[in-house]
Amino acid sequence: MSYPGYPPTGYPPFPGYPPAGQESSFPPSGQYPYPSGFPPMGGGAYPQVPSSGYPGAGGYPAPGGYPAPGGYPGAPQPGGAPSYPGGQGFGVPPGGAGFSGYPQPPSQSYGGGPAQVPLPGGFPGGQMPSQYPGGQPTYPSQPAAMTQGTQGTIRPAANFDAMRDAEILRKAMKGFGTDEQAIVDVVANRSNDQRQKIKAAFKTSYGKDLIKDLKSELSGNMEELILALFMPPTYYDAWSLRKAMQGAGTQERVLIEILCTRTNQEIREIVRCYQSEFGRDLEKDIRSDTSGHFERLLVSMCQGNRDENQSVNHQMAQEDAQRLYQAGEGRLGTDESCFNMILATRSFPQLRATMEAYSRMANRDLLSSVSREFSGYVESGLKTILQCALNRPAFFAERLYYAMKGAGTDDSTLVRIVVTRSEIDLVQIKQMFAQMYQKTLGTMIAGDTSGDYRRLLLAIVGQ
């Protein structure tokens, strides 16, 4: 069966990356893709995205237009604590509670009449929501807003003048003290490509390195945020991966967040940048810093060979669902290689169809089964792939929430996600954040940060 209008063709190129086949001529004259002045190293389940309209203008699904809180099973009620997400890992409810607390997906996005789909198991106490007698919910049809492309909070500034901006930054750092507000006004309202031009104009005009000057004027989280904003996207991802594996210990969640969420083209660019900038092989570093099934998953990811054909093969989805069941729930023990093969190679629309087929066949959602069959970082990695197949902005919203929840703040994660998604889908991440946690991203940032660091973060997220 084919779904009308689904899907549009392939991923658009990632902002700032060379078009396929033009790598040798990249970057354009006057742009510097990989800077030399940056600091050396060392110094369960989501709401489904609509099928039609994926990927959008930024290469990712548009999540706007989900049912309002209270209009889906397991939704938090006004004034109450959110029932989703919670628990371990990336916020999957304890015990693999499945789809219970997330907004239920609009199944009619594939066309046809309203879908009658058995609700996945895992509701608290084993009870189905009372508003769905017999446990057979009719999901709402897809709102038109969901078909729109994704959007970043930062867009290229109109009437851009790199020399003028370089002069503003020079004056802000000249003399006694630093005019942080002037710096915030410039960097929070320019695209990454424009920041690269400002950096080049600064060196041309003053014979000095802008990054070194900024480092000498700033410190702490503000310094980390400013430097991240001036790194080209590919370099920043490669730098973050290197930092996560350098020294004692490994930041596995950083490896998962980057390698399991990027497109093929992004990953291939990261691998090339990692080699050219740090003189190291990314796959070898992964092998030396991780082990077992987690190592194999990350090695699969860094190949950048996921199928990106946006059409869905429903026969394959049914077969893959059966294979995953037989590799996990349907046997004693787990065939980890089967999960790795399917989740590492299938396109995201194909994985969504497989998850739907699995829920119908196994009466349990696939994320719950992964929770039951795996543990540790390989569990988190597999869930991240599935969560991004369902709704990538919701995955990042959850990561932001847990970076700020409770005592202390994981500032590196906060900075990394805000910066890397600011020109891609931060608008949709903000929408999902408000829907999932009944508070705005800006409100939570304001409560967890302070000073110029808070001011710049809020300017980026558009508060």
Side-chain angles (χ1 to χ4, degrees), residues 3 5-8 11 45-56 59-63 66 99 105-107 109-110 117 120 139 142 146-147 150 306-314 316-318 320-321 324 342-343 345-361 364-367 382-393:
Y3 293 147
Y6 177 87
Y11 290 88
Y46 279 61
Q48 275 201 23
V49 296
S51 305
S52 60
Y54 175 91
Y60 302 109
Y66 282 94
F99 290 132
S107 295
S109 59
Y110 293 136
V117 181
Y139 293 142
Q142 174 182 308
M146 287 187 181
T147 64
T150 53
R306 181 181 298 282
D307 178 20
E308 291 186 341
N309 180 354
Q310 297 299 291
S311 61
V312 173
N313 182 330
H314 295 283
M316 178 190 289
Q318 192 67 38
D320 283 350
L324 290 170
I342 292 175
L343 270 63
T345 63
R346 304 295 190 249
S347 71
F348 285 133
Q350 185 68 36
L351 284 176
R352 285 202 297 277
T354 300
M355 295 173 79
E356 292 169 2
Y358 190 95
S359 292
R360 292 191 296 268
M361 178 194 68
R364 181 193 303 279
D365 69 273
L366 185 52
L367 275 156
L382 293 171
K383 284 180 179 176
T384 296
I385 295 168
L386 294 174
Q387 289 163 341
C388 285
L390 288 170
N391 190 327
R392 198 183 316 241

Coordinates of all heavy atoms in Angstrom, one line a residue, residues 3 5-8 11 45-56 59-63 66 99 105-107 109-110 117 120 139 142 146-147 150 306-314 316-318 320-321 324 342-343 345-361 364-367 382-393:
Y3 N 1.3 5.4 0.5 CA 0.7 6.5 1.2 C 0.7 7.8 0.3 O 1.8 8.2 -0.1 CB 1.4 6.8 2.5 CG 1.3 5.7 3.5 CD1 2.3 5.4 4.3 CD2 0.1 4.9 3.5 CE1 2.2 4.3 5.2 CE2 0.0 3.9 4.4 CZ 1.0 3.6 5.3 OH 0.9 2.6 6.2
G5 N 1.2 11.2 -1.3 CA 2.0 12.4 -0.9 C 3.1 12.1 0.0 O 3.8 13.1 0.5
Y6 N 3.5 10.9 0.2 CA 4.5 10.6 1.2 C 5.6 9.8 0.5 O 5.3 8.8 -0.2 CB 4.0 9.7 2.3 CG 5.1 9.3 3.3 CD1 5.4 10.2 4.3 CD2 5.8 8.1 3.1 CE1 6.4 9.8 5.2 CE2 6.8 7.8 4.0 CZ 7.1 8.6 5.0 OH 8.1 8.2 5.9
P7 N 6.9 10.1 0.7 CA 7.3 11.3 1.3 C 7.9 12.2 0.3 O 8.2 11.8 -0.9 CB 8.4 10.9 2.3 CG 9.0 9.7 1.6 CD 7.9 9.1 0.6
P8 N 8.3 13.5 0.6 CA 9.1 14.2 -0.4 C 10.5 13.6 -0.5 O 10.9 12.9 0.3 CB 9.1 15.6 0.3 CG 8.7 15.5 1.6 CD 8.0 14.1 1.8
Y11 N 17.1 14.4 1.7 CA 17.5 15.4 2.7 C 18.1 16.6 1.9 O 18.9 16.4 1.0 CB 18.5 14.9 3.6 CG 18.0 13.9 4.6 CD1 18.0 12.6 4.3 CD2 17.6 14.3 5.9 CE1 17.5 11.6 5.2 CE2 17.1 13.4 6.8 CZ 17.1 12.1 6.5 OH 16.6 11.1 7.4
A45 N 9.4 6.6 24.6 CA 8.9 6.8 23.2 C 8.4 8.2 23.0 O 7.9 8.8 23.9 CB 7.7 5.8 22.9
Y46 N 8.6 8.6 21.8 CA 8.3 10.0 21.5 C 7.0 10.1 20.7 O 6.5 9.2 20.1 CB 9.4 10.6 20.6 CG 10.6 11.0 21.4 CD1 11.3 10.0 22.2 CD2 11.0 12.3 21.4 CE1 12.3 10.4 23.0 CE2 12.1 12.7 22.2 CZ 12.8 11.7 22.9 OH 13.8 12.1 23.7
P47 N 6.4 11.3 20.7 CA 5.3 11.5 19.8 C 5.8 11.4 18.4 O 6.8 11.8 18.0 CB 4.9 13.0 20.1 CG 6.1 13.6 20.7 CD 6.8 12.5 21.4
Q48 N 5.0 10.7 17.5 CA 5.4 10.5 16.2 C 5.3 11.8 15.4 O 4.5 12.7 15.6 CB 4.6 9.5 15.5 CG 5.0 8.1 15.7 CD 4.5 7.2 14.6 OE1 4.2 7.6 13.5 NE2 4.4 5.9 14.9
V49 N 6.2 11.9 14.4 CA 6.2 13.1 13.5 C 5.3 12.8 12.4 O 5.1 11.6 12.1 CB 7.6 13.4 13.0 CG1 8.5 13.8 14.1 CG2 8.2 12.2 12.3
P50 N 4.8 13.8 11.7 CA 4.0 13.5 10.5 C 4.8 12.9 9.4 O 6.0 13.2 9.3 CB 3.5 14.9 10.1 CG 4.6 15.8 10.7 CD 5.0 15.2 12.0
S51 N 4.2 12.0 8.6 CA 4.9 11.4 7.6 C 5.1 12.3 6.4 O 6.2 12.5 5.9 CB 4.2 10.1 7.1 OG 4.0 9.3 8.2
S52 N 4.0 13.0 6.0 CA 4.2 13.9 4.9 C 4.9 15.1 5.4 O 4.7 15.6 6.5 CB 2.8 14.3 4.3 OG 2.0 14.9 5.3
G53 N 5.7 15.7 4.5 CA 6.5 16.9 4.9 C 7.8 16.5 5.6 O 8.4 17.4 6.2
Y54 N 8.2 15.3 5.6 CA 9.5 14.9 6.2 C 10.4 14.4 5.2 O 10.1 13.6 4.4 CB 9.3 13.8 7.2 CG 10.6 13.3 7.8 CD1 11.1 13.9 9.0 CD2 11.3 12.3 7.2 CE1 12.3 13.5 9.5 CE2 12.5 11.9 7.7 CZ 13.0 12.5 8.9 OH 14.2 12.1 9.4
P55 N 11.7 14.9 5.1 CA 12.1 16.0 6.0 C 11.7 17.4 5.4 O 11.5 17.5 4.2 CB 13.7 15.8 5.9 CG 13.9 15.3 4.6 CD 12.7 14.4 4.3
G56 N 11.7 18.4 6.3 CA 11.3 19.7 5.9 C 12.5 20.5 5.4 O 13.6 20.0 5.1
G59 N 15.7 19.6 6.9 CA 16.1 18.2 6.9 C 15.5 17.4 8.0 O 15.7 16.2 8.2
Y60 N 14.6 18.0 8.8 CA 14.0 17.3 9.9 C 12.5 17.5 10.0 O 12.0 18.5 9.4 CB 14.6 17.8 11.3 CG 16.1 17.6 11.3 CD1 17.0 18.7 11.2 CD2 16.6 16.3 11.3 CE1 18.3 18.5 11.1 CE2 18.0 16.2 11.2 CZ 18.8 17.2 11.2 OH 20.2 17.0 11.1
P61 N 11.8 16.7 10.7 CA 10.3 16.8 10.7 C 9.8 18.0 11.5 O 10.5 18.5 12.4 CB 9.9 15.5 11.4 CG 11.1 15.1 12.2 CD 12.3 15.6 11.4
A62 N 8.7 18.5 11.1 CA 8.1 19.6 11.8 C 7.1 19.1 12.8 O 6.1 18.5 12.4 CB 7.4 20.5 10.8
P63 N 7.3 19.4 14.1 CA 6.4 18.8 15.1 C 5.2 19.6 15.5 O 4.4 19.2 16.3 CB 7.3 18.6 16.3 CG 8.3 19.8 16.2 CD 8.4 20.0 14.7
Y66 N 0.7 19.3 17.6 CA 0.3 18.2 18.3 C -0.9 18.5 19.2 O -1.2 19.6 19.5 CB 1.4 17.6 19.1 CG 2.4 16.8 18.3 CD1 3.5 17.4 17.8 CD2 2.1 15.5 18.0 CE1 4.4 16.7 17.0 CE2 3.0 14.8 17.2 CZ 4.1 15.4 16.7 OH 5.0 14.7 15.9
F99 N 4.6 4.1 25.3 CA 4.1 5.3 24.8 C 3.2 6.0 25.8 O 2.6 7.0 25.5 CB 3.2 5.1 23.5 CG 4.0 4.7 22.3 CD1 3.7 3.7 21.5 CD2 5.2 5.4 22.0 CE1 4.4 3.3 20.4 CE2 5.9 5.1 20.9 CZ 5.5 4.0 20.1
P105 N 0.6 9.7 18.5 CA 0.9 10.2 17.2 C -0.3 10.3 16.3 O -1.2 9.5 16.4 CB 1.9 9.2 16.6 CG 1.5 7.9 17.4 CD 1.1 8.3 18.7
P106 N -0.3 11.3 15.4 CA -1.4 11.4 14.5 C -1.3 10.4 13.4 O -0.6 10.6 12.4 CB -1.3 12.9 14.0 CG 0.1 13.2 14.1 CD 0.6 12.4 15.3
S107 N -2.0 9.3 13.5 CA -1.8 8.2 12.5 C -2.3 8.5 11.1 O -1.9 7.9 10.2 CB -2.4 6.9 13.0 OG -1.8 6.5 14.2
S109 N -1.6 10.7 9.3 CA -0.7 11.4 8.5 C -0.3 10.7 7.2 O 0.2 11.2 6.3 CB 0.6 11.7 9.2 OG 1.2 10.5 9.7
Y110 N -0.6 9.4 7.2 CA -0.4 8.6 6.0 C -1.5 8.6 5.0 O -1.5 8.0 4.0 CB -0.1 7.1 6.3 CG 1.2 6.9 7.1 CD1 1.2 6.1 8.2 CD2 2.3 7.6 6.7 CE1 2.4 5.9 8.9 CE2 3.5 7.4 7.4 CZ 3.6 6.6 8.5 OH 4.7 6.4 9.1
V117 N -5.7 1.9 16.0 CA -4.4 1.2 16.3 C -4.5 0.7 17.7 O -4.7 1.6 18.6 CB -3.2 2.1 16.0 CG1 -1.9 1.3 16.3 CG2 -3.2 2.6 14.6
P120 N -0.2 0.8 22.6 CA 0.9 0.0 23.1 C 0.7 -0.2 24.6 O 0.2 0.7 25.3 CB 2.1 0.8 22.8 CG 1.7 1.6 21.6 CD 0.3 1.9 21.8
Y139 N -6.8 8.2 16.6 CA -5.9 9.3 16.6 C -6.4 10.4 15.7 O -7.1 10.2 14.7 CB -4.5 8.8 16.1 CG -3.8 7.8 17.0 CD1 -3.1 6.7 16.5 CD2 -3.9 7.9 18.4 CE1 -2.5 5.8 17.3 CE2 -3.3 7.0 19.2 CZ -2.6 6.0 18.7 OH -2.0 5.1 19.5
Q142 N -4.0 14.6 10.8 CA -2.8 15.4 10.8 C -3.1 16.9 10.6 O -3.7 17.2 9.5 CB -1.8 14.9 9.8 CG -0.6 15.9 9.6 CD 0.3 15.4 8.5 OE1 0.7 14.2 8.6 NE2 0.7 16.2 7.6
M146 N 1.6 20.6 10.6 CA 2.6 19.6 10.8 C 3.4 19.4 9.5 O 4.5 18.8 9.5 CB 2.0 18.3 11.2 CG 1.6 18.3 12.6 SD 1.1 16.6 13.1 CE 0.6 16.9 14.8
T147 N 2.9 19.8 8.4 CA 3.5 19.6 7.1 C 4.6 20.6 6.8 O 5.3 20.5 5.8 CB 2.5 19.5 5.9 OG1 1.9 20.8 5.8 CG2 1.4 18.5 6.2
T150 N 11.0 22.5 9.2 CA 11.6 23.0 10.5 C 12.2 24.3 10.3 O 12.5 24.8 9.2 CB 12.6 21.9 11.0 OG1 13.5 21.7 10.0 CG2 11.8 20.6 11.3
R306 N 23.5 5.1 6.3 CA 22.1 4.8 6.5 C 21.3 5.0 5.2 O 21.6 6.0 4.4 CB 21.5 5.7 7.6 CG 20.0 5.4 7.8 CD 19.4 6.3 8.9 NE 20.1 6.1 10.2 CZ 19.9 5.1 11.0 NH1 19.0 4.2 10.7 NH2 20.5 5.0 12.2
D307 N 20.4 4.2 4.9 CA 19.5 4.3 3.7 C 18.7 5.7 3.9 O 18.1 5.9 4.9 CB 18.5 3.2 3.6 CG 17.6 3.3 2.4 OD1 17.9 4.1 1.5 OD2 16.5 2.6 2.4
E308 N 18.8 6.5 2.9 CA 18.0 7.8 3.0 C 17.0 7.9 1.9 O 16.5 9.0 1.6 CB 19.0 9.0 2.9 CG 19.9 9.1 4.1 CD 20.8 10.3 4.2 OE1 21.0 10.9 3.1 OE2 21.2 10.7 5.3
N309 N 16.6 6.7 1.3 CA 15.4 6.7 0.4 C 14.2 6.9 1.3 O 13.9 6.2 2.2 CB 15.4 5.3 -0.3 CG 14.2 5.2 -1.2 OD1 13.3 6.1 -1.3 ND2 14.1 4.1 -1.9
Q310 N 13.4 8.0 0.9 CA 12.3 8.4 1.8 C 11.0 7.6 1.6 O 10.1 7.8 2.3 CB 12.0 9.9 1.6 CG 13.2 10.7 2.0 CD 13.6 10.6 3.5 OE1 12.8 11.0 4.4 NE2 14.7 10.0 3.8
S311 N 11.0 6.7 0.6 CA 9.8 5.9 0.4 C 9.8 4.7 1.4 O 10.9 4.3 1.9 CB 9.8 5.3 -1.0 OG 10.9 4.5 -1.3
V312 N 8.6 4.3 1.8 CA 8.5 3.2 2.8 C 8.1 1.9 2.1 O 7.1 1.9 1.3 CB 7.5 3.6 3.8 CG1 7.2 2.5 4.8 CG2 7.9 4.9 4.6
N313 N 8.8 0.9 2.4 CA 8.5 -0.5 2.0 C 7.8 -1.2 3.1 O 8.4 -1.6 4.1 CB 9.8 -1.2 1.6 CG 9.5 -2.6 1.1 OD1 8.5 -3.3 1.5 ND2 10.4 -3.1 0.2
H314 N 6.4 -1.3 3.0 CA 5.7 -1.9 4.1 C 5.8 -3.4 4.3 O 5.7 -3.9 5.4 CB 4.2 -1.5 4.0 CG 4.0 0.0 4.0 ND1 4.0 0.7 5.2 CD2 3.9 0.9 3.0 CE1 3.8 2.0 5.0 NE2 3.8 2.2 3.7
M316 N 8.8 -4.8 3.9 CA 10.0 -4.9 4.6 C 9.8 -4.5 6.1 O 10.4 -5.1 7.0 CB 11.1 -4.0 4.0 CG 12.4 -3.9 4.8 SD 13.5 -2.6 4.2 CE 14.0 -3.3 2.6
A317 N 8.9 -3.5 6.3 CA 8.6 -3.1 7.7 C 8.1 -4.3 8.5 O 8.4 -4.5 9.7 CB 7.7 -1.9 7.7
Q318 N 7.1 -5.0 7.9 CA 6.5 -6.1 8.5 C 7.6 -7.2 8.8 O 7.6 -7.8 9.9 CB 5.4 -6.7 7.7 CG 4.5 -7.7 8.4 CD 3.7 -7.1 9.5 OE1 3.2 -5.9 9.3 NE2 3.5 -7.8 10.6
D320 N 10.9 -6.8 9.0 CA 11.8 -6.3 10.0 C 11.2 -6.4 11.5 O 11.9 -6.8 12.4 CB 12.3 -4.9 9.8 CG 13.3 -4.8 8.6 OD1 13.8 -5.8 8.2 OD2 13.6 -3.7 8.2
A321 N 10.0 -6.1 11.6 CA 9.3 -6.2 12.9 C 9.3 -7.6 13.4 O 9.6 -7.9 14.6 CB 7.9 -5.7 12.8
L324 N 12.9 -8.5 14.4 CA 13.3 -7.9 15.7 C 12.6 -8.6 16.9 O 13.2 -8.8 17.9 CB 12.9 -6.4 15.7 CG 13.7 -5.5 14.8 CD1 13.1 -4.1 14.7 CD2 15.2 -5.4 15.3
I342 N 19.4 -3.6 11.6 CA 18.1 -2.9 11.2 C 18.1 -1.5 11.6 O 17.8 -0.6 10.8 CB 16.9 -3.7 11.7 CG1 16.8 -5.0 11.0 CG2 15.6 -2.8 11.5 CD1 15.7 -5.9 11.6
L343 N 18.5 -1.2 12.8 CA 18.4 0.2 13.3 C 19.5 1.1 12.7 O 19.4 2.3 12.6 CB 18.5 0.3 14.8 CG 17.1 0.2 15.5 CD1 16.4 -1.1 15.2 CD2 17.3 0.4 17.0
T345 N 20.8 0.7 9.5 CA 20.8 0.8 8.1 C 19.5 1.4 7.5 O 19.5 2.0 6.4 CB 21.0 -0.6 7.4 OG1 20.0 -1.5 7.8 CG2 22.4 -1.1 7.9
R346 N 18.3 1.2 8.2 CA 17.0 1.6 7.6 C 16.9 3.1 7.7 O 17.3 3.7 8.7 CB 15.9 0.9 8.3 CG 15.9 -0.6 8.3 CD 15.8 -1.2 6.9 NE 15.6 -2.7 7.0 CZ 16.6 -3.5 6.6 NH1 17.7 -3.1 6.1 NH2 16.3 -4.9 6.7
S347 N 16.2 3.7 6.8 CA 15.8 5.1 6.8 C 14.9 5.4 8.0 O 14.2 4.5 8.5 CB 15.2 5.5 5.5 OG 13.9 5.0 5.4
F348 N 14.8 6.6 8.4 CA 14.0 7.0 9.5 C 12.5 6.8 9.2 O 11.8 6.2 10.0 CB 14.2 8.4 10.0 CG 15.5 8.5 10.8 CD1 16.4 9.5 10.5 CD2 15.8 7.6 11.8 CE1 17.6 9.7 11.2 CE2 17.0 7.7 12.5 CZ 17.9 8.7 12.2
P349 N 12.0 7.1 8.0 CA 10.6 6.8 7.7 C 10.4 5.3 7.7 O 9.3 4.8 8.2 CB 10.4 7.4 6.3 CG 11.4 8.5 6.2 CD 12.6 8.0 6.9
Q350 N 11.3 4.5 7.2 CA 11.2 3.0 7.3 C 11.2 2.5 8.7 O 10.4 1.6 9.0 CB 12.4 2.4 6.5 CG 12.3 0.9 6.3 CD 11.1 0.5 5.4 OE1 10.9 1.1 4.4 NE2 10.5 -0.6 5.8
L351 N 12.0 3.1 9.6 CA 12.0 2.7 11.0 C 10.6 3.0 11.6 O 10.1 2.3 12.5 CB 13.1 3.3 11.7 CG 14.5 2.7 11.5 CD1 15.6 3.5 12.2 CD2 14.6 1.3 11.9
R352 N 10.0 4.2 11.3 CA 8.7 4.5 11.8 C 7.7 3.4 11.5 O 6.9 3.0 12.3 CB 8.3 5.9 11.3 CG 9.0 7.0 12.0 CD 8.2 8.3 11.9 NE 8.0 8.7 10.5 CZ 8.9 9.5 9.8 NH1 10.0 9.8 10.4 NH2 8.6 9.8 8.6
A353 N 7.7 3.0 10.2 CA 6.8 2.0 9.7 C 7.0 0.7 10.5 O 6.1 0.0 10.8 CB 6.9 1.8 8.2
T354 N 8.3 0.4 10.7 CA 8.7 -0.9 11.4 C 8.2 -0.8 12.8 O 7.6 -1.8 13.4 CB 10.2 -1.1 11.4 OG1 10.6 -1.2 10.0 CG2 10.6 -2.3 12.2
M355 N 8.3 0.3 13.5 CA 7.8 0.5 14.9 C 6.3 0.3 14.9 O 5.8 -0.3 15.9 CB 8.2 1.8 15.4 CG 9.7 2.0 15.6 SD 10.3 3.7 16.0 CE 9.9 3.6 17.8
E356 N 5.6 0.8 13.9 CA 4.1 0.7 13.9 C 3.8 -0.8 13.7 O 2.9 -1.4 14.4 CB 3.5 1.5 12.8 CG 3.6 3.0 13.0 CD 3.2 3.8 11.8 OE1 2.9 3.2 10.8 OE2 3.3 5.0 11.9
A357 N 4.5 -1.5 12.8 CA 4.2 -2.9 12.6 C 4.5 -3.7 13.8 O 3.8 -4.7 14.2 CB 5.0 -3.4 11.4
Y358 N 5.6 -3.4 14.5 CA 6.0 -4.1 15.7 C 4.9 -4.0 16.8 O 4.6 -5.0 17.5 CB 7.3 -3.6 16.2 CG 8.0 -4.4 17.3 CD1 8.9 -5.4 17.0 CD2 7.6 -4.2 18.7 CE1 9.5 -6.1 18.0 CE2 8.2 -4.9 19.7 CZ 9.1 -5.9 19.3 OH 9.7 -6.7 20.3
S359 N 4.4 -2.8 17.0 CA 3.4 -2.5 18.0 C 2.1 -3.4 17.8 O 1.5 -3.9 18.7 CB 3.0 -1.1 18.1 OG 4.1 -0.3 18.6
R360 N 1.7 -3.5 16.5 CA 0.6 -4.2 16.1 C 0.8 -5.7 16.4 O -0.1 -6.5 16.8 CB 0.2 -4.0 14.7 CG -0.4 -2.6 14.4 CD -1.0 -2.5 13.0 NE 0.0 -2.7 12.0 CZ 0.7 -1.8 11.4 NH1 0.5 -0.5 11.8 NH2 1.5 -2.0 10.4
M361 N 2.0 -6.2 16.0 CA 2.3 -7.6 16.1 C 2.6 -8.1 17.5 O 2.1 -9.1 17.9 CB 3.5 -7.9 15.2 CG 4.0 -9.3 15.2 SD 5.6 -9.5 14.5 CE 6.6 -8.7 15.8
R364 N 3.3 -4.6 22.0 CA 4.3 -3.8 22.9 C 5.1 -2.9 21.9 O 5.4 -3.4 20.8 CB 5.2 -4.8 23.6 CG 6.2 -4.1 24.5 CD 7.3 -5.0 24.9 NE 6.8 -6.2 25.6 CZ 6.5 -6.2 26.9 NH1 6.6 -5.1 27.6 NH2 6.0 -7.3 27.5
D365 N 5.4 -1.7 22.3 CA 6.1 -0.9 21.4 C 7.6 -1.3 21.4 O 8.1 -1.8 22.4 CB 6.0 0.6 21.7 CG 6.6 1.0 23.0 OD1 5.9 0.9 24.1 OD2 7.8 1.4 23.0
L366 N 8.3 -0.9 20.3 CA 9.7 -1.4 20.1 C 10.6 -0.7 21.2 O 11.6 -1.4 21.6 CB 10.1 -1.0 18.7 CG 11.5 -1.5 18.3 CD1 11.7 -3.0 18.6 CD2 11.8 -1.2 16.8
L367 N 10.4 0.5 21.6 CA 11.2 1.1 22.6 C 11.1 0.3 23.9 O 12.2 0.2 24.6 CB 10.8 2.6 22.8 CG 11.4 3.6 21.8 CD1 10.6 4.8 21.7 CD2 12.8 3.9 22.2
L382 N 20.4 2.8 20.9 CA 19.4 2.2 20.1 C 18.1 3.0 20.3 O 17.4 3.3 19.3 CB 19.1 0.8 20.5 CG 20.2 -0.2 20.1 CD1 19.9 -1.6 20.7 CD2 20.4 -0.4 18.6
K383 N 17.8 3.4 21.5 CA 16.6 4.3 21.8 C 16.7 5.6 21.1 O 15.7 6.1 20.5 CB 16.4 4.5 23.3 CG 15.9 3.3 24.0 CD 15.8 3.6 25.5 CE 15.2 2.5 26.3 NZ 15.2 2.8 27.7
T384 N 17.9 6.2 21.1 CA 18.1 7.5 20.4 C 17.7 7.4 18.9 O 17.1 8.3 18.4 CB 19.6 8.0 20.6 OG1 19.8 8.2 22.0 CG2 19.8 9.3 19.8
I385 N 18.2 6.3 18.3 CA 17.9 6.2 16.8 C 16.3 6.1 16.6 O 15.8 6.8 15.8 CB 18.5 4.9 16.3 CG1 20.1 5.1 16.3 CG2 18.1 4.6 14.9 CD1 20.8 3.8 16.1
L386 N 15.7 5.3 17.5 CA 14.2 5.1 17.4 C 13.5 6.4 17.7 O 12.5 6.8 17.0 CB 13.7 4.0 18.3 CG 14.2 2.6 17.9 CD1 13.8 1.6 19.0 CD2 13.7 2.2 16.5
Q387 N 14.0 7.1 18.7 CA 13.4 8.4 19.1 C 13.5 9.4 18.0 O 12.6 10.2 17.7 CB 14.0 8.9 20.4 CG 13.6 8.0 21.6 CD 14.4 8.2 22.8 OE1 15.6 8.7 22.7 NE2 13.9 7.9 24.0
C388 N 14.7 9.5 17.3 CA 14.8 10.4 16.3 C 14.0 10.0 15.0 O 13.6 10.9 14.3 CB 16.3 10.5 15.9 SG 17.3 11.4 17.1
A389 N 13.8 8.7 14.9 CA 12.9 8.3 13.8 C 11.5 8.8 14.0 O 10.7 9.1 13.1 CB 12.9 6.8 13.6
L390 N 11.1 8.8 15.3 CA 9.7 9.3 15.6 C 9.6 10.8 15.6 O 8.7 11.4 15.1 CB 9.3 8.7 17.0 CG 9.0 7.2 17.1 CD1 8.9 6.8 18.5 CD2 7.8 6.9 16.3
N391 N 10.5 11.5 16.3 CA 10.4 12.9 16.5 C 11.8 13.4 17.0 O 12.0 13.4 18.2 CB 9.3 13.3 17.4 CG 9.0 14.8 17.4 OD1 9.9 15.6 17.2 ND2 7.8 15.1 17.6
R392 N 12.6 13.9 16.0 CA 13.9 14.4 16.4 C 13.9 15.6 17.4 O 14.6 15.6 18.3 CB 14.7 14.7 15.1 CG 16.2 14.8 15.4 CD 17.0 15.1 14.1 NE 16.5 14.4 12.9 CZ 17.2 13.6 12.2 NH1 18.5 13.4 12.5 NH2 16.7 13.0 11.1
P393 N 13.0 16.6 17.1 CA 13.0 17.7 18.0 C 12.6 17.3 19.4 O 13.1 17.9 20.4 CB 11.9 18.7 17.4 CG 12.0 18.4 16.0 CD 12.2 16.9 15.9

